[in-house]
Amino acid sequence: MNVSNQKLVTPLEKPLKGIIKVPADKSISHRAAIFSAITKEKITVSNFSCGADCKSTLAVLKQLGVEVNFQSERNLAICNKEGFREPQEILYAGNSGTTIRLMSGILAGSNFSSVITGDESLKKRPMARIITPLKQMGADIKAEYDDTKAPISIKGTKLNGIVYNSQVASAQVKSCILLAGLNAEGETVIREPFKSRDHTEKLLSYMEADIEVQDTRVKIRKSELCPKPMSIPGDISSAAFFIVAASIIPDSEIIIRDVGLNPTRTGIIDIMRDMGADITILDKREECSEEIGDIKVKYAELKGVTIGRDLIPRIIDELPIIAIAATQAKGTTIVKEAEELRHKESDRIKAVCMELKKLGADIEEADDGFVIFGKTQLRGNCVLETYHDHRIAMSGYVAALASLKPVKINEFQWVNISFPEFIEVFESLQK
Ligand code: S3P
């Protein structure tokens, strides 16, 4: 079910109860599709993300000649027998930063020319962070507007390995360089200031690439990938909305099944526990080199916390929903050194502060984060904006559930980027 336009959300009168599943992990789905296409063999991917972002990756792969066949709604077969071929038209990555940045790493080392772009939100996001290292590898690549913003024009050429010290802890930057390195002469090494999500490293190892990981340093050499079937766990970034909702709505008790628990992504669990949340992990196991398990959450009294630089990469997508939890926590929550949030699908620092103020929260904006003074009874009775940003839309919905009066959310269809069944799943917990 795809949701559209303005959504009226009425405050919850009952606790959230039940067992749910969330969509497949968006980050891993992108990688599964792209890495399958590199192998030139047919690979089946089960439980692929149903969100628009991963469809953007599939669309770009199709433009490059890759065959994508859905065997059922969530299971697909990817086959690129002939190898990537020059696209006839501009490649369109939609709203997806992961698509444009990872694909640029592949296109840079191809034997054809291409242009890749995206929607209005994506065209505002920084691309120098991938263009600079790719140029150092020998890439012939150029972006419009000061060489920093999409569209990006790429003339494929032979690449050479580099040693690159990234200024940002970004999995998209790291993955772009690693994918370029997979096809470059010599050794490519990337170091980041803090470890970002490591799905690329895990999946490339699973596919037997020549890759070594040592803390925040990853080394890759030119290698062939071994075709293997893949199965994608549930997305912890989608589960985060339910973890917070069940923690702040009195008497709630839920279980979220089959969620990816990669330690580079579980910052939301650690922080919510620090805030006093009642979270238990059940049935932990491993699939395709990724940890997975069920998450049980019960309502609990929360308290404020301080969140700084070292934790940010592990919760980069969860900070908007953590802000909602903070409004319902006793004491002060400080989010600092999180300037990366200004470069996401929207400026998430600004968006969180603007929208939470409308709801009646006590929040102050800082250059690199925000400070929230809790606990506040959110008033509601307002119209929220979503800023072309799925996570801002879903965070607004959870805040509205905990408000006194109904809330309208404009352009709620942005949830389709990662979680088209968001409302349906929430409603299944309200019976
Ligand atoms: C992602 C990495 C993160 C994250 C994004 C998905 C990925 O971005 O915010 O939603 O799949 O690699 P950065 O790498 O820019 O931090």
Side-chain angles (χ1 to χ4, degrees):
M1 181 191 79
N2 277 10
V3 244
S4 60
N5 305 328
Q6 195 183 65
K7 176 81 191 157
L8 173 69
V9 190
T10 41
L12 269 188
E13 282 165 9
K14 288 198 295 189
L16 296 168
K17 297 262 181 202
I19 300 174
I20 54 167
K21 280 184 116 176
V22 289
D25 190 278
K26 189 158 81 70
S27 285
I28 305 177
S29 294
H30 285 295
R31 287 158 173 81
I34 295 170
F35 301 178
S36 297
I38 295 174
T39 68
K40 299 191 180 168
E41 299 283 336
K42 181 170 166 180
I43 293 192
T44 53
V45 182
S46 51
N47 194 36
F48 191 78
S49 162
C50 49
D53 261 11
C54 294
K55 291 199 173 119
S56 293
T57 286
L58 296 181
V60 166
L61 292 175
K62 282 189 198 162
Q63 284 184 282
L64 292 165
V66 179
E67 269 179 48
V68 177
N69 289 309
F70 274 87
Q71 294 162 335
S72 61
E73 205 195 339
R74 303 277 159 90
N75 300 325
L76 50 91
I78 294 181
C79 190
N80 188 19
K81 258 206 176 69
E82 311 294 323
F84 294 117
R85 61 155 194 253
E86 180 156 324
Q88 299 304 301
E89 290 178 354
I90 293 177
L91 301 168
Y92 186 67
N95 192 248
S96 173
T98 307
T99 308
I100 197 168
R101 293 195 176 115
L102 268 60
M103 287 309 299
S104 294
I106 291 180
L107 296 169
S110 71
N111 56 7
F112 52 78
S113 296
S114 54
V115 179
I116 186 161
T117 191
D119 70 6
E120 289 312 306
S121 150
L122 192 59
K123 283 201 275 185
K124 290 191 190 123
R125 297 181 64 186
M127 294 300 151
R129 53 182 61 195
I130 57 158
I131 289 173
T132 304
L134 286 176
K135 276 188 176 160
Q136 287 177 18
M137 296 179 84
D140 187 344
I141 181 167
K142 175 132 195 51
E144 265 182 47
Y145 315 115
D146 301 332
D147 220 8
T148 61
K149 306 273 157 71
I152 304 177
S153 305
I154 302 170
K155 257 194 216 146
T157 186
K158 286 212 175 340
L159 303 177
N160 295 306
I162 49 165
V163 175
Y164 190 70
N165 289 310
S166 178
Q167 298 303 304
V168 278
S170 158
Q172 292 175 355
V173 171
K174 175 173 61 179
S175 305
C176 169
I177 297 170
L178 290 174
L179 287 173
L182 192 63
N183 197 16
E185 287 311 315
E187 220 170 68
T188 299
V189 179
I190 157 110
R191 255 192 233 111
E192 20 180 26
F194 294 96
K195 195 174 173 74
S196 62
R197 64 189 65 187
D198 64 358
H199 304 302
T200 294
E201 298 89 304
K202 286 214 145 75
L203 199 50
L204 287 178
S205 300
Y206 171 70
M207 297 175 84
E208 299 175 26
D210 187 350
I211 185 167
E212 277 168 45
V213 181
Q214 235 182 5
D215 300 326
T216 54
R217 178 178 178 275
V218 190
K219 182 159 81 182
I220 195 161
R221 285 185 211 88
K222 194 173 195 151
S223 28
E224 295 288 317
L225 297 184
C226 182
K228 290 188 180 173
M230 297 175 197
S231 156
I232 320 280
D235 198 328
I236 190 156
S237 297
S238 300
F241 300 100
F242 297 89
I243 294 174
V244 169
S247 296
I248 65 175
I249 309 282
D251 297 327
S252 294
E253 181 169 339
I254 64 165
I255 292 177
I256 316 161
R257 286 232 193 275
D258 307 332
V259 184
L261 295 172
N262 178 315
T264 60
R265 297 284 300 282
T266 47
I268 176 73
I269 294 176
D270 298 344
I271 284 169
M272 289 301 292
R273 280 180 172 156
D274 283 352
M275 294 176 88
D278 185 345
I279 301 175
T280 317
I281 305 297
L282 310 165
D283 194 16
K284 208 164 173 184
R285 55 212 187 266
E286 197 177 295
E287 262 178 41
C288 301
S289 302
E290 291 282 354
E291 289 174 38
I292 164 169
D294 300 343
I295 304 176
K296 182 173 174 185
V297 191
K298 282 187 190 174
Y299 167 77
E301 296 277 340
L302 302 181
K303 61 177 195 307
V305 286
T306 296
I307 301 170
R309 175 113 38 225
D310 52 332
L311 262 173
I312 303 297
R314 291 182 65 229
I315 45 161
I316 190 69
D317 291 335
E318 288 67 69
L319 280 163
I321 190 63
I322 287 171
I324 310 302
T327 67
Q328 303 309 301
K330 269 194 200 131
T332 306
T333 293
I334 303 171
V335 173
K336 59 182 182 185
E337 299 159 333
E339 47 284 288
E340 264 300 299
L341 277 187
R342 295 207 183 267
H343 307 295
K344 293 293 168 187
E345 285 85 331
S346 68
D347 174 344
R348 286 186 176 155
I349 294 178
K350 191 167 141 218
V352 161
C353 294
M354 292 277 289
E355 302 314 299
L356 272 178
K357 273 185 192 153
K358 286 185 197 166
L359 285 157
D362 191 354
I363 180 166
E364 276 172 15
E365 181 173 344
D367 287 346
D368 63 346
F370 42 78
V371 181
I372 295 174
F373 305 93
K375 172 178 184 174
T376 319
Q377 171 60 64
L378 300 176
R379 284 191 303 266
N381 198 21
C382 59
V383 182
L384 299 181
E385 299 301 331
T386 46
Y387 305 81
H388 297 201
D389 189 332
H390 54 133
R391 304 208 194 277
I392 297 296
M394 293 185 276
S395 301
Y397 182 91
V398 173
L401 291 181
S403 293
L404 269 182
K405 297 256 169 67
V407 171
K408 285 179 184 156
I409 308 180
N410 280 337
E411 304 208 315
F412 197 70
Q413 76 277 7
W414 283 105
V415 302
N416 294 328
I417 288 293
S418 59
F419 201 163
E421 321 88 330
F422 178 77
I423 297 282
E424 238 176 297
V425 180
F426 249 109
E427 287 177 353
S428 75
L429 294 171
Q430 297 168 33
K431 286 181 180 147

